Amino acid sequence: IGKIRLQLTKPVTWIPLVWGVMCGAAASGNYHWIWNPFDPNDRDVMLGLEDTAKGFVAMILAGPFLTGYTQTINDWYDREIDAINEPYRPIPSGAISEGQVIFQIWFLLLGGLGIAYGLDVWAGHDFPTVLALSIFGSWVSYIYSAPPLKLKQNGWAGNYALGCSYISLPWWCGQAVFGELDRPVYFILPILYSIAGLGIAIVNDFKSVEGDRQLGLNSLPVAFGIDGAKYICAGSVTLTQLGVAAYLYSIGETNYAAGLLALLLPQIYFQATLLLPDPVANDVKYQASSQPFFVFGILATALCLGHHDFTA
């Protein structure tokens, strides 16, 4: 049953959230290494060990607990559709009972909120920022999967909810643990990246366009056709990153802006050679080729914010 429980949480989906927490920690400018080879002023071993522990706990919160909750609740509300399309999955196959699934949903949700509050206490927050973010994220997860809102039925709302959950929320969590969310830019840039995340989420909808149409799910490939959706996908990914690079250039961070553009060029190449010619056949290959450059661009942006002197 332990293996089934783990399967329901889909561990592979934890990775972007863990990366997002890392980016938030970097953006705070206040994460300390155990022994930083590049900065002689950042070699306080005990402080570094404490920050490593904080970061690890934040990753456990974002990954196994809250992403695990999200995936389990999504499978729970999809159980009737899965019984038709994928009857071998844990819930419709009866490999795990309904009572056990409901227990897992509550355990992961309440456990995650408990960890979030613990991180707020550890970070010395007057206002429980991490807990508030966790409650908001859990609510988004619920309305994404559950009726009556079931955001996943709507291409725009569902895909943006995914982008926000995978990029903005873990970034804000990581940044709140180590620093402050005290400037509009700390909200604007992750939200921009979440719009790019919307584009990335569209790629997962190309293969299921016929099934979505039959089930009444208004995904963007259903609403705009595959040809329309592939341009929305490419445009949202490219234009948002150009916007972030322009902002970094505007605050004098020309090296980071140039680095971001350099990471964008391969993504445009893979759009032109894989995504636009045949998004259905090339969806997995496009994601595998393009996404590493995208996620390193997010980290580069976060590092830029962490090192930038906004008081100058």
Side-chain angles (χ1 to χ4, degrees):
I1 190 70
K3 192 175 177 184
I4 298 292
R5 287 193 182 283
L6 187 65
Q7 187 183 340
L8 274 178
T9 68
K10 297 186 181 69
V12 71
T13 63
W14 305 348
I15 297 167
L17 283 289
V18 167
W19 186 267
V21 169
M22 282 172 49
C23 291
S28 75
N30 197 38
Y31 179 85
H32 301 91
W33 295 36
I34 294 172
W35 195 87
N36 189 340
F38 307 108
D39 183 359
N41 296 317
D42 185 15
R43 293 177 182 173
D44 184 327
V45 173
M46 294 312 295
L47 186 58
L49 285 170
E50 183 182 1
D51 278 5
T52 302
K54 270 187 194 171
F56 180 73
V57 172
M59 289 172 185
I60 294 293
L61 165 66
F65 276 87
L66 294 187
T67 308
Y69 156 78
T70 298
Q71 297 295 349
T72 307
I73 201 168
N74 187 57
D75 272 20
W76 172 252
Y77 282 106
D78 278 354
R79 65 193 185 280
E80 290 166 6
I81 294 171
D82 288 344
I84 299 165
N85 295 330
E86 298 176 277
Y88 50 83
R89 293 185 75 156
I91 297 173
S93 70
I96 185 168
S97 72
E98 292 191 354
Q100 288 170 319
V101 176
I102 290 168
F103 172 81
Q104 176 160 321
I105 289 168
W106 281 107
F107 175 81
L108 293 173
L109 174 61
L110 297 177
L113 297 181
I115 292 170
Y117 182 69
L119 280 167
D120 280 316
V121 172
W122 196 353
H125 291 161
D126 293 328
F127 176 81
T129 311
V130 181
L131 177 61
L133 288 167
S134 300
I135 291 170
F136 176 70
S138 304
W139 176 72
V140 170
S141 299
Y142 177 77
I143 63 172
Y144 175 80
S145 299
L149 293 177
K150 203 158 190 169
L151 298 182
K152 66 191 290 183
Q153 291 182 327
N154 178 287
W156 290 112
N159 285 351
Y160 187 74
L162 279 178
C164 180
S165 299
Y166 275 87
I167 298 172
S168 296
L169 287 167
W171 173 318
W172 293 331
C173 170
Q175 186 159 354
V177 168
F178 294 101
E180 300 289 337
L181 293 165
D182 55 358
R183 292 179 183 277
V185 67
Y186 297 143
F187 293 94
I188 294 166
L189 294 191
I191 287 170
L192 275 177
Y193 273 118
S194 295
I195 296 170
L198 175 151
I200 290 167
I202 295 171
V203 179
N204 299 322
D205 293 334
F206 286 120
K207 268 208 167 71
S208 58
V209 66
E210 287 307 319
D212 287 347
R213 191 176 282 123
Q214 289 170 15
L215 293 166
L217 298 177
N218 196 31
S219 69
L220 293 179
V222 169
F224 293 94
I226 286 175
D227 278 350
K230 72 185 183 184
Y231 286 107
I232 294 171
C233 171
S236 63
V237 170
T238 303
L239 294 175
T240 49
Q241 292 180 85
L242 283 173
V244 174
Y247 170 75
L248 298 186
Y249 180 80
S250 75
I251 61 171
E253 295 287 0
T254 50
N255 290 340
Y256 279 104
L260 206 54
L261 291 176
L263 288 165
L264 180 56
L265 290 175
Q267 296 175 62
I268 295 171
Y269 171 78
F270 291 124
Q271 287 169 6
T273 56
L274 294 173
L275 178 69
L276 298 180
D278 192 341
V280 178
N282 296 330
D283 59 344
V284 175
K285 194 174 180 184
Y286 167 70
Q287 293 278 51
S289 303
S290 178
Q291 213 149 311
F293 296 99
F294 175 70
V295 297
F296 276 104
I298 299 175
L299 180 60
T301 302
L303 287 166
C304 176
L305 294 183
H307 287 102
H308 185 73
D309 182 6
F310 285 99
T311 61

